[in-house]
Amino acid sequence: MSKKQFKAESKRLMDLMIHSIYTHREIFLREILSNASDAIDKLAYLSLTDDSVKVKRGDLKITVTPDKEKRTLTVSDNGIGMTAQELEQNLGTIARSGSLQFKGEMEADKAADIIGQFGVGFYSAFMVADKVTVLTRRQGEEQAWQWQSEGADGYTVTPAQRDGVGTDVIMHLKPDTEEDKYSQYLETDTLRELIRKYSDYIRHPIRMTVEVHRQKEKPENAPEDYQPEWETVSEEQTINSMVPLWQRPRSKVKQEEYDRFYQDKFLDWQAPLATITTSSEGTVTFKALLFIPAATPYDFYTREYEKGLQLYSSGVLIMDKCADLLPDCFRFVKGVVDSPDFSLNISREMLQHTGQLKIIANALEKKIKNELAKLLKDDQEKYNKFYAAFGRQLKYSVVDQYGAKKELLRDLLLFPSSQGEGLVTLKEYAQGMAEGQPFAYYVAADSVAQAARLPQVERITDQGYSILYLTDEVDEFVIQALGDAEGKTFKSVSDPDALPESDEEKARQEEQEEQAKPVLDFVKERLGDKVSAVRVSKILKSDPVCMTADGPVSLEMEKYFSRLEGGMPMRAQRVLELNAASAPYAALKAALDAGDRDKAGKYAEILYQQALLIAGLPIDDPAEYTRLVCSLMQ
Ligand code: ADP
Ligand code: MG
C-alpha cells in the first residue's frame, strides 16, 4: 500500500499545524465538531430530496469519546460520510474552503495568529495528534474506508469496516511534554468545557459519557435511620445547549434568561442595564444579542480594556472579541453576533476585505443609538444610570475622529444646568431657554456648586437666561465640537461678547476703560507675564475680580492639559478682569492716586491671587499670599 502525497498547499498547512507553537490548540475540537455537524446537515438535507434516505431526526448526533488507555480522542457522527474519492478530495487537499488563503507565502508566527482567530479546518487535528485516522462510510454505500496520516509526509486510504453510515475521526494524541499536556484532551471535564466554550450552539446534540456522582435510590424497606448512599455511574449526556438564545424570538425568552446568559458569558455579577436584540436579512444576514452593562468595568477607561463582540457562524464561535463589529463610541456594549455568511475558515484579513463586518457594525451602531434614545425617552432614571457609567465615553466619542460621530451622539448627551436640578439634553436646555436668550451659555468648573458661584455667571442669570454647567474636563471640547444647541450658538459666560451691547453701552465701556487706564497699566506692569492682559470687566456684577482667557484655550482646558500624563503644557492666555464699580478697585485706585505704589502693588497681587482661587487654579505661592493678606491687617 503506497503512501499518497498531500497537495503542496496542504502540506504547508499541515507543517504549520504540526509545528504550531500556537497556544490555542484547543480550537481543533471546534473544527472537528463543526465538520461533524455539517455532515449531519448534509444527510438531513439529502433525506428531504431522496426518499430512499431514511433518517430519524432524533437519532442524529455527534459523540465524543476519550480513551485514556489508547490515548485517543474520537469524534463520531452519523452524518453523510465520505466515499474513497471524497476522502481523497476532501482530506488530501485543502478543499475549496477558506484555508486556501494559506497558499500565499505566510510566515509561521503570523499564521499562528490567524489560527487563533479562525480555524483552519480538519488539519487542525494535527496540532494535538501525531496520527489521525478517519473511518467513514458514505450514505448509500456498503463499503467503508479508512484514511490515515501521520503528518506531512502523506496519507493512505484503505478499505475498512464500519457499522452504519457516518464518520469517526480518531486522533492519536501526541506525547505530553513539559509545556504541553495533550492528555488534557482525554479529560471529560476539559472536553466539556471546550464544547461549551466553542460549540455550545451546534444544532445537533454532542454526546459524551461522563461520570456522575449521585444519590442511590432509597430502598423500599429502608430503616428509619437510613443514611442516603452515593454511587458513581457512567452516563451519556448531551453537553451542548444546542439552541442559542439569540436564535429564539425575543417574546419567547424571559429576561432572567437573558440576564443569566449575560452574567455567565461576560462574567459580570450584575444583570445588564439593557438588552438589545436585532437581526437583518439582506446584504448580510445576522442576528445580534447585545447588552449594556449596569456599571463601568473597572478597566474601562484604561488601555487594557478590549472592546468587541463575539462572532459566531451558524452557532460556532469564530472570534471571541471581534473589535471591527463594534463602533468605538459604543465600546462598552457586550454581546454576540451570529452570521451564517462567515466561513469558519476565513482569515482575519479576508474578513476585512469582504466588508461584511463594516455593514454589520454600521447596522449595530444605528440600533444601539436608537435603543439608547428610546431608553432616554421612556426611562429617564435608567438612562441616568447608564449615563453615569458611560456618558464620558459618549463625550469622548463626540470629540474623537474630528467630530465624525457628533451628530449621532448629540441627542444622547446630558448636562447639568441652571434650569434646575438634574441633567438636561441639549434639546431640553434649548427649549427651556428664556425668550430672546441670544446664546446657549455655558460655564466650566470643577462642580455644579462651584460653577453656579462663579462671578461671571451672575450677569447672565440676572437676565433670566440659563446656563449649562460643564463639570467634566472633556465638556468644553464637546461643546466646541457641537457648535450649537438647536441652532443657538454656544457661548462662554466669560466671553466679553456674551451679552449683546447697545452703542450706548459700548461707548460707556470705552470711557471706563480710558479712565481706568493708569490703574490697568499699573496692575499689568506689576503682574508682568503672569497675565496677558488686565481689563475692566464687562462680565462682573457684584464680585470685584475674575480670571478669564483670551484665545482658544480656556482655563478649564488648561487644567485638563496640565493633568494629562506626559503633559502637553497648554497655557491659557489669562486675562485679569477688574470690576471698576467695586470697593477693592476703589481702594486700589486710591492708593495709586495717593502715590502709595507699594500698597497698590500689594492690592494688585492679592486681587490676582483671588482671581486664581475663584477659578480653581493653583496660586503661585500660598505662603506668600497669606503673608501679603496679613500684612494689610496690621
Ligand atoms: P471545511 O469544513 O471548511 O470544508 P475542513 O478542512 O474542515 O474544511 O474539511 C474539509 C472537508 O472534509 C469538508 O468540506 C468535508 O467535505 C469533509 N469532511 C470533514 N469531516 C467530515 C465528516 N465528519 N463527515 C463528512 N465529511 C467530512
Ligand atoms: Mg470544517
Side-chain angles (χ1 to χ4, degrees):
M1 172 187 53
S2 67
K3 229 174 218 163
K4 306 197 178 179
Q5 294 303 306
F6 286 108
K7 293 268 156 50
E9 67 267 22
S10 307
K11 192 162 176 328
R12 194 151 56 228
L13 180 54
M14 183 87 95
D15 263 335
L16 259 171
M17 293 296 108
I18 293 167
H19 301 114
S20 136
I21 40 149
Y22 187 65
T23 44
H24 286 65
R25 295 198 175 100
E26 59 189 38
I27 59 132
F28 80 93
L29 188 60
R30 162 192 91 170
E31 297 295 323
I32 301 303
L33 288 170
S34 102
N35 285 348
S37 173
D38 289 348
I40 293 177
D41 282 344
K42 284 179 199 160
L43 183 64
Y45 183 75
L46 194 64
S47 76
L48 297 178
T49 52
D50 185 342
D51 287 341
S52 68
V53 183
K54 301 247 179 305
V55 290
K56 270 207 253 142
R57 273 246 146 234
D59 292 346
L60 296 172
K61 64 170 179 176
I62 301 164
T63 314
V64 174
T65 317
D67 184 330
K68 283 191 177 157
E69 256 153 55
K70 295 198 186 120
R71 210 182 157 75
T72 56
L73 175 65
T74 301
V75 173
S76 304
D77 65 71
N78 50 9
I80 193 156
M82 284 176 271
T83 62
Q85 208 190 358
E86 283 168 335
L87 269 178
E88 294 260 350
Q89 258 174 21
N90 296 337
L91 305 185
T93 61
I94 302 180
R96 301 144 294 274
S97 72
S99 315
L100 269 176
Q101 289 122 38
F102 276 82
K103 245 176 27 186
E105 291 309 311
M106 177 106 47
E107 304 128 50
D109 52 341
K110 200 165 157 219
D113 183 43
I114 285 170
I115 298 163
Q117 301 297 347
F118 299 95
V120 285
F122 172 77
Y123 293 121
S124 60
F126 287 93
M127 288 198 288
V128 299
D130 48 20
K131 179 161 109 183
V132 178
T133 310
V134 179
L135 181 59
T136 182
R137 192 174 126 195
R138 163 77 206 217
Q139 162 63 35
E141 308 228 338
E142 287 306 313
Q143 181 65 57
W145 295 91
Q146 176 182 290
W147 178 100
Q148 187 161 294
S149 169
E150 289 181 40
D153 65 333
Y155 63 92
T156 56
V157 176
T158 46
Q161 294 282 321
R162 191 183 193 276
D163 290 338
V165 166
T167 303
D168 309 307
V169 177
I170 304 150
M171 292 162 273
H172 306 261
L173 298 183
K174 295 179 188 180
D176 284 358
T177 65
E178 200 56 45
E179 299 96 61
D180 298 300
K181 302 276 175 269
Y182 297 100
S183 50
Q184 64 176 303
Y185 303 119
L186 299 171
E187 301 297 335
T188 47
D189 285 349
T190 310
L191 292 168
R192 188 208 320 259
E193 212 176 285
L194 291 180
I195 293 167
R196 293 244 168 102
K197 177 166 174 195
Y198 293 107
S199 312
D200 201 30
Y201 306 113
I202 291 255
R203 283 182 299 277
H204 308 290
I206 300 171
R207 310 274 294 170
M208 185 165 67
T209 302
V210 293
E211 308 246 284
V212 273
H213 197 55
R214 64 176 181 204
Q215 235 176 46
K216 273 191 188 167
E217 224 172 278
K218 193 174 168 185
E220 291 266 326
N221 53 353
E224 290 238 328
D225 59 348
Y226 172 77
Q227 290 295 314
E229 282 178 51
W230 292 82
E231 62 181 355
T232 302
V233 290
S234 293
E235 186 180 283
E236 200 186 79
Q237 289 182 347
T238 298
I239 308 298
N240 56 330
S241 48
M242 305 203 323
V243 185
L245 211 55
W246 59 86
Q247 295 291 3
R248 288 160 54 191
R250 179 137 193 187
S251 56
K252 293 264 156 31
V253 183
K254 291 201 199 79
Q255 185 59 43
E256 290 96 88
E257 288 179 89
Y258 283 130
D259 291 352
R260 195 156 10 92
F261 174 83
Y262 164 80
Q263 287 175 268
D264 282 357
K265 204 165 195 91
F266 302 107
L267 306 175
D268 194 344
W269 60 272
Q270 287 189 82
L273 187 83
T275 305
I276 302 172
T277 52
T278 183
S279 64
S280 159
E281 269 167 53
T283 349
V284 182
T285 300
F286 72 89
K287 286 209 162 76
L289 171 57
L290 309 177
F291 301 96
I292 297 173
T296 331
Y298 72 95
D299 60 350
F300 186 67
Y301 289 107
T302 73
R303 276 192 206 107
E304 272 73 64
Y305 183 85
E306 262 183 90
K307 68 157 187 170
L309 299 175
Q310 285 196 332
L311 179 60
Y312 281 81
S313 174
S314 300
V316 179
L317 179 65
I318 59 178
M319 198 168 175
D320 197 31
K321 267 193 182 156
C322 185
D324 294 331
L325 277 175
L326 196 60
D328 258 339
C329 51
F330 300 136
R331 59 202 282 278
F332 45 82
V333 170
K334 308 259 185 199
V336 171
V337 170
D338 192 342
S339 169
D341 295 353
F342 293 110
S343 147
L344 250 195
N345 292 355
I346 194 165
S347 80
R348 194 210 287 257
E349 277 85 353
M350 273 305 274
L351 195 56
Q352 269 158 355
H353 274 307
T354 64
Q356 287 166 321
L357 288 181
K358 192 83 205 122
I359 296 173
I360 299 180
N362 286 343
L364 295 182
E365 180 177 282
K366 256 195 227 116
K367 178 71 183 177
I368 297 167
K369 144 91 201 253
N370 291 342
E371 288 289 317
L372 287 173
K374 213 169 104 207
L375 189 66
L376 173 60
K377 195 161 135 271
D378 299 344
D379 193 341
Q380 177 94 49
E381 197 182 318
K382 215 174 193 187
Y383 189 84
N384 282 347
K385 208 171 154 204
F386 155 74
Y387 199 73
F390 301 112
R392 183 169 287 177
Q393 175 61 44
L394 298 185
K395 293 180 192 173
Y396 284 144
S397 303
V398 166
V399 180
D400 219 22
Q401 300 173 36
Y402 307 101
K405 297 286 180 208
K406 66 179 186 192
E407 293 314 321
L408 178 84
L409 303 173
R410 177 188 283 274
D411 298 339
L412 300 177
L413 301 176
L414 297 178
F415 297 96
S417 81
S418 63
Q419 289 175 358
E421 266 177 53
L423 306 175
V424 288
T425 62
L426 292 177
K427 207 175 244 164
E428 285 164 347
Y429 166 72
Q431 283 162 359
M433 288 190 328
E435 275 276 311
Q437 178 167 338
F439 296 110
Y441 294 111
Y442 67 86
V443 60
D446 293 338
S447 69
V448 171
Q450 204 185 39
R453 277 200 309 266
L454 279 177
Q456 52 268 52
V457 160
E458 190 184 7
R459 179 176 75 118
I460 306 290
T461 45
D462 270 7
Q463 302 284 324
Y465 297 160
S466 49
I467 303 174
L468 289 177
Y469 296 142
L470 308 185
T471 54
D472 219 347
E473 53 195 20
V474 67
D475 285 351
E476 269 189 288
F477 300 96
V478 172
I479 290 297
Q480 274 186 1
L482 292 175
D484 70 276
E486 301 288 292
K488 286 273 190 219
T489 310
F490 286 121
K491 196 74 144 178
S492 162
V493 297
S494 305
D495 192 318
D497 302 325
L499 287 178
E501 289 172 305
S502 62
D503 290 347
E504 220 173 286
E505 284 169 318
K506 271 194 196 122
R508 185 146 29 98
Q509 172 76 16
E510 264 165 40
E511 200 189 302
Q512 262 192 344
E513 196 84 35
E514 196 51 46
Q515 274 177 6
K517 198 163 184 317
V519 179
L520 300 180
D521 286 349
F522 172 80
V523 176
K524 171 69 178 103
E525 193 197 310
R526 172 80 198 207
L527 296 177
D529 286 342
K530 291 195 273 199
V531 293
S532 68
V534 181
R535 274 188 211 134
V536 170
S537 183
K538 293 198 274 181
I539 63 175
L540 288 174
K541 203 152 172 203
S542 31
D543 292 274
V545 65
C546 74
M547 190 71 80
T548 60
D550 273 349
V553 182
S554 73
L555 296 174
E556 289 306 310
M557 289 179 185
E558 177 184 314
K559 284 189 223 165
Y560 168 70
F561 285 120
S562 74
R563 275 194 295 264
L564 286 187
E565 233 175 289
M568 278 205 264
M570 286 277 247
R571 263 188 68 103
Q573 290 181 42
R574 296 177 180 189
V575 178
L576 183 68
E577 303 209 12
L578 301 175
N579 184 348
S582 68
Y585 178 86
L588 173 60
K589 186 163 185 306
L592 258 190
D593 287 347
D596 191 345
R597 292 176 67 87
D598 181 52
K599 193 172 185 185
K602 284 181 177 171
Y603 286 166
E605 193 65 40
I606 289 173
L607 286 172
Y608 163 71
Q609 307 270 16
Q610 284 177 339
L612 290 178
L613 283 172
I614 299 174
L617 289 162
I619 57 174
D620 306 339
D621 186 345
E624 180 58 34
Y625 173 71
T626 312
R627 243 172 262 136
L628 203 59
V629 174
C630 290
S631 76
L632 293 177
M633 297 172 79
Q634 279 152 17

